[in-house]
């Protein structure tokens, strides 16, 4: 297969021609399919083309909504961008279940984000400490042009600390820098500050006579997506006996539910799937609101391992006849900057949510994660997960088969009492057609 140089400089049409000719030759409809996903509004299409590089089409994700969420006594409809079937249905079901039990409560615990100047230093640590003490006010002063606007909004640089990491890696030190980025996710702000620190650091180090020929060398300046001090907690609770039709059924359910969470607390194989279910909700809101789901994913999973074993992000307690179920996750997300001001659907998502600030969005997102986990574990310990999933699975297969309305109705009826495997649905529809 051919390679190409200067691909990025080609026009979009030339890019499409090149990929279709060289990699999609056997697909006669490739060009048409790519074009079918372009927006007919050329201005809107240009906007999407410019989000990233080398674009040849748009990749759609369904944009759905989960209504009837009560969070801290306020009603929300939660926008979710996700391709997986049953996720939005499960969120909506959990919202309804908790609605007459006080709804969801959520609180932001902390909002600090961090970044580092990582550097190498082979000299006497005492010299480095005295250099840093002198340097720190200058680091802050020279970052002022970057921090001014953020400070007007009440944020900025919180602190810069010198950390000796040489017990873990020879000659490795860092400037551990903490930030409050208010309603912005803040990646650009933090990285700009860090690179400015790096420049000031290098220039001043060269002038610091005590270093002589043991100058520190900067390795890199970058924010961290591990944000254990940018935490949010979401919770639901109700008397145990409200969890079932009878007191016995309710207690049985609560006990099984608790065991499921305990399994995910000690068994990483289960914990990963358990937390994946939480992220079904979290990622869908993060995406719909134009935030960086890769950053959130990385930070959340690292947090799940903070005690040295990967474990459940949700916890449950049955003390005092009360079922209390909660989620605590780090979330570095914003409501200004990045895609939030650009993507028309992100603007709609923000409007649906009542234009939240970053802290409110953290709470809503955590609630979506908790609701998702409640719905998943609820199904797992009662009917099993496949019942709900297979309904959507059936619809997907029927869509693939381009089933008529009559075929659909017959298939839905039949598979109410039969397991809908891919092969069985195909056989069923083929039989109808014959
Ligand atoms: C599927 O996307 C998510 C679940 O596997 C989560 C879980 O097992 O808790 C259903």
């Amino acid at each position: 297969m051919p390679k190409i140089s200067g691909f990025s400089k080609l026009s979009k049409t030339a890019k499409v021609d090149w990929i279709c000719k060289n990699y999609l030759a056997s697909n006669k409809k490739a060009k048409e399919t790519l074009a079918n996903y372009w927006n007919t509004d050329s201005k809107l299409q240009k906007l999407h083309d410019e989000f990233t590089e080398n674009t040849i089409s748009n990749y759609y994700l369904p944009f759905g909504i989960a209504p009837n969420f009560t969070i801290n006594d306020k009603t929300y409809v939660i926008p979710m961008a996700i391709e997986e079937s049953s996720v939005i249905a499960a969120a909506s079901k959990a919202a309804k279940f908790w609605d007459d039990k006080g709804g969801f409560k959520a609180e932001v615990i902390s909002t600090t984000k961090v970044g580092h100047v990582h550097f190498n230093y082979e000299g006497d640590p005492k010299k480095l400490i005295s250099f840093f003490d002198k340097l720190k006010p200058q680091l802050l002063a020279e970052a002022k042009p970057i921090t001014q606007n953020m400070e007007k909004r009440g944020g900025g640089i919180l602190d810069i600390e010198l950390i000796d990491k040489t017990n873990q890696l020879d000659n490795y030190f860092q400037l551990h820098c903490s930030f409050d980025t208010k309603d912005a996710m803040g990646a650009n702000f933090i990285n700009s500050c860090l690179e400015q620190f790096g420049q000031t650091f290098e220039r001043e180090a060269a002038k610091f006579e005590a270093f002589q020929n043991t100058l520190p060398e900067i390795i890199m300046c970058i924010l961290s997506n591990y944000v254990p001090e940018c935490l949010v907690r979401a919770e639901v609770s109700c008397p145990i006996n409200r969890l079932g039709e009878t007191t016995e059924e309710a207690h049985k359910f609560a006990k099984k539910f608790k065991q499921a969470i305990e399994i995910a607390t000690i068994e990483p194989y289960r914990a990963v799937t358990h937390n994946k279910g939480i992220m079904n909700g979290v990622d869908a809101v993060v995406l719909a609101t134009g935030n960086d789901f890769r950053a959130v994913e990385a930070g959340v999973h690292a947090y799940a391992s903070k005690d040295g074993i990967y474990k459940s992000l949700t916890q449950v307690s049955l003390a005092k006849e009360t079922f209390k179920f909660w989620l605590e996750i780090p979330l570095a997300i914003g409501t200004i900057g990045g895609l939030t001001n650009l993507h028309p659907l992100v603007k709609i998502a923000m409007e649906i949510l009542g234009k939240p600030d970053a802290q409110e969005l953290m709470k809503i997102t955590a609630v979506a994660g908790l609701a998702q986990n409640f719905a998943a574990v609820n199904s797992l310990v009662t009917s099993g997960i496949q019942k709900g999933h297979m309904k959507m699975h059936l619809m997907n297969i029927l869509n693939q088969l381009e089933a008529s309305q009559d075929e659909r109705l017959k298939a839905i009826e039949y598979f109410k009492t039969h397991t809908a495997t891919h092969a069985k649905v195909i056989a069923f529809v083929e039989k109808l057609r014959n």
Side-chain angles (χ1 to χ4, degrees):
M1 290 297 202
K3 290 187 176 164
I4 182 170
S5 70
F7 183 74
S8 66
K9 304 216 168 50
L10 298 180
S11 69
K12 185 167 159 186
T13 316
K15 284 184 184 116
V16 169
D17 286 346
W18 184 84
I19 192 76
C20 287
K21 178 169 166 248
N22 293 294
Y23 285 80
L24 295 162
S26 62
N27 181 351
K28 297 292 166 239
K29 284 193 157 178
K31 226 183 235 189
E32 189 188 326
T33 304
L34 290 170
N36 276 345
Y37 284 85
W38 291 346
N39 203 294
T40 46
D41 175 343
S42 58
K43 226 169 117 193
L44 198 59
Q45 185 50 52
K46 190 164 176 287
L47 180 77
H48 284 266
D49 286 345
E50 289 172 2
F51 283 154
T52 181
E53 305 81 31
N54 291 348
T55 47
I56 55 169
S57 192
N58 303 311
Y59 189 97
Y60 295 169
L61 275 184
F63 179 83
I65 51 171
N68 302 325
F69 270 90
T70 302
I71 307 174
N72 296 341
D73 302 318
K74 193 174 156 191
T75 303
Y76 291 89
V77 171
I78 302 189
M80 301 173 95
I82 185 156
E83 87 300 347
E84 185 174 331
S85 56
S86 302
V87 168
I88 297 180
S92 309
K93 207 170 146 196
K96 202 163 161 205
F97 180 86
W98 286 104
D99 206 34
D100 65 354
K101 298 174 186 69
F104 292 80
K105 301 283 175 241
E107 61 166 327
V108 170
I109 298 168
S110 50
T111 55
T112 301
K113 290 158 189 164
V114 293
H116 300 93
V117 175
H118 302 274
F119 65 96
N120 205 56
Y121 174 66
E122 296 180 19
D124 177 358
K126 282 197 211 98
K127 289 182 188 171
L128 186 62
I129 293 168
S130 74
F131 168 67
F132 175 70
D133 288 345
K134 201 168 145 249
L135 180 75
K136 190 169 165 179
Q138 209 166 346
L139 290 174
L140 295 170
E142 290 191 19
K144 271 277 169 227
I146 306 167
T147 59
Q148 254 163 9
N149 275 344
M150 189 61 84
E151 281 166 9
K152 275 190 207 140
R153 289 194 263 125
I157 301 163
L158 299 178
D159 199 10
I160 309 174
E161 292 167 87
L162 172 67
I163 313 271
D164 182 340
K165 290 264 171 180
T166 51
N167 60 345
Q168 285 166 280
L169 184 65
D170 285 348
N171 311 319
Y172 170 40
F173 291 83
Q174 56 177 226
L175 299 184
H176 177 95
C177 313
S178 47
F179 303 86
D180 184 346
T181 61
K182 290 291 156 190
D183 289 327
M185 188 255 184
N188 279 331
F189 170 76
I190 295 174
N191 286 333
S192 300
C193 289
L194 293 169
E195 289 191 0
Q196 178 59 54
F197 295 160
Q199 282 171 26
T200 308
F201 183 99
E202 250 175 356
R203 191 195 62 228
E204 292 305 309
K207 289 194 235 159
F208 191 68
E209 282 174 8
F211 282 147
Q212 291 161 337
N213 54 356
T214 55
L215 272 184
E217 185 195 11
I218 291 182
I219 307 298
M220 58 191 162
C221 308
I222 188 72
L223 94 169
S224 172
N225 290 122
Y226 186 45
V227 281
E229 282 164 21
C230 188
L231 268 193
V232 57
R233 178 188 159 105
E235 182 184 304
V236 282
S237 68
C238 71
I240 291 177
N241 62 20
R242 293 210 57 201
L243 293 172
E245 295 289 314
T246 62
T247 307
E248 195 194 342
E249 187 190 291
H251 277 82
K252 201 172 154 207
F253 169 80
K255 194 172 160 217
K256 245 181 136 179
F257 192 100
K258 185 163 184 272
Q259 279 170 337
I261 305 298
E262 283 166 355
I263 292 169
T265 306
I266 60 110
E267 171 52 80
Y269 277 101
R270 171 59 200 148
V272 171
T273 317
H274 178 95
N275 289 344
K276 187 273 182 185
I278 294 171
M279 299 314 286
N280 278 344
V282 169
D283 281 342
V285 181
V286 169
L287 259 175
T289 56
N291 277 285
D292 181 344
F293 67 92
R294 286 86 55 209
V296 167
E297 280 278 339
V300 168
H301 293 295
Y303 189 73
S305 319
K306 70 181 189 323
D307 300 328
I309 166 178
Y310 185 94
K311 61 186 186 188
S312 166
L313 291 157
T314 48
Q315 293 179 60
V316 68
S317 131
L318 303 182
K320 296 186 187 147
E321 287 297 302
T322 302
F323 175 87
K324 198 188 268 188
F325 179 49
W326 68 96
L327 166 74
E328 202 178 273
I329 45 169
L331 274 183
I333 51 177
T335 51
I336 57 169
L339 268 201
T340 49
N341 303 338
L342 287 174
H343 198 301
L345 283 177
V346 171
K347 284 189 203 162
I348 295 271
M350 293 298 190
E351 271 176 56
I352 291 174
L353 290 173
K355 301 199 175 149
D357 62 15
Q359 293 205 22
E360 195 178 358
L361 186 60
M362 284 168 78
K363 293 181 214 171
I364 296 163
T365 309
V367 163
L370 183 70
Q372 211 61 50
N373 190 229
F374 178 79
V377 177
N378 181 6
S379 296
L380 287 169
V381 302
T382 55
S383 60
I385 206 75
Q386 283 309 85
K387 201 171 161 214
H389 269 233
M390 288 323 273
K391 234 190 255 166
M392 295 302 282
H393 185 53
L394 172 63
M395 297 316 291
N396 284 340
I397 303 169
L398 291 172
N399 279 340
Q400 270 170 26
L401 298 174
E402 296 182 2
S404 68
Q405 186 61 8
D406 183 51
E407 287 167 347
R408 272 166 203 271
L409 292 176
K410 285 185 174 139
I412 291 167
E413 197 50 42
Y414 178 81
F415 286 105
K416 272 184 188 160
T417 49
H418 296 79
T419 310
T421 66
H422 201 264
K424 281 187 182 156
V425 178
I426 293 178
F428 182 83
V429 173
E430 274 173 1
K431 201 168 158 207
L432 286 182
R433 288 177 182 175
N434 290 333

